[in-house]
Amino acid sequence: MSKTENESHEYDDIIEMEHHVSSKRPHMPVSDRAAQFAPFAALTGLDRIMKETEIKHISEYEK
């Protein structure tokens, strides 16, 4: 059996299991789940650079 065939069946025993819902902790809102990964964003500072570039190009266009 090739590696890809084996990998495709690796989780067959759990694929049909019901999703676990904690009885001890409340459900976390989607906005909070996304926020917990924000410090690890690969493109930190991209928004600032894009805004600076936008301002630069707009000012050049308006000349």
Side-chain angles (χ1 to χ4, degrees):
M1 188 181 304
S2 73
K3 187 173 181 180
T4 54
E5 288 175 5
N6 187 30
E7 287 174 353
S8 67
H9 297 288
E10 191 171 356
Y11 299 105
D12 284 351
D13 59 331
I14 64 169
I15 201 73
E16 297 297 327
M17 291 179 74
E18 188 175 325
H19 178 73
H20 173 73
V21 178
S22 176
S23 60
K24 297 178 182 177
R25 298 184 185 270
H27 182 74
M28 181 183 287
V30 173
S31 59
D32 290 344
R33 284 194 303 236
Q36 72 182 340
F37 296 105
F40 304 103
L43 302 175
T44 302
L46 179 63
D47 290 339
R48 178 184 50 80
I49 294 169
M50 288 176 60
K51 189 65 177 171
E52 290 172 0
T53 304
E54 177 186 5
I55 291 168
K56 176 184 171 188
H57 288 288
I58 288 173
S59 65
E60 288 176 0
Y61 178 77
E62 291 176 346
K63 287 182 181 180

